[in-house]
Amino acid sequence: MKVAIITANTDIYKGTKENESGEAVKLVAEEAGLEVVFMRALPLDREVLSAIMKRLADGKAADLILTTGGAGCNPDDCTPEATMDIVERPVPGIPEAMRAHTMKLTRRSMLNRSAAGICGETLIVNLPGKAQAVKESLRYLLPELVHAVKVIKGEV
């Protein structure tokens, strides 16, 4: 299964901050045997984020797009909006399950605005922006995400 990782963070994009959350996504994905085919930090810009996600989905470059960052309550956060701009079929249960799971660890997870959905044959999931939250969330979600991608592709 091919995975694209997008870190939505202007400071990381500019190179002034380390991409810890993106590396956490990569670590968990590779631990699960998934192939990371794309990994890039992008600025918190709704049009840029949606354009890159759409290009990856339309070109069938990735079966699963995982984003990290830009899904909180900061004024610049726009990853869920960028995601929903291109999603054809929302899958609200994914972020609901993630928030329910992480609420056991910190009440601040209720402030996460992540979205998920299907664009073409690609599943897109917004993850938290902190490395530890990414690991906890993705390890919890990944078996179901892999199953969802197989369903989307008609393999199950």
Side-chain angles (χ1 to χ4, degrees), residues 87-130:
V87 159
E88 297 150 356
R89 296 185 294 153
V91 186
I94 294 171
E96 289 169 6
M98 179 178 66
R99 284 186 287 269
H101 175 70
T102 55
M103 277 291 291
K104 297 172 191 167
L105 307 171
T106 175
R107 292 188 316 224
R108 293 239 170 117
S109 65
M110 71 176 74
L111 303 177
N112 180 288
R113 301 181 312 107
S114 291
I118 302 163
C119 180
E121 292 185 1
T122 302
L123 179 63
I124 303 170
V125 178
N126 303 153
L127 297 168
K130 303 278 189 249

Side-chain angles (χ1 to χ4, degrees), residues 1 144-156:
M1 185 171 299
E144 306 318 315
L145 300 183
V146 168
H147 176 74
V149 168
K150 289 178 181 175
V151 171
I152 292 164
K153 295 187 161 302
E155 297 172 3
V156 194

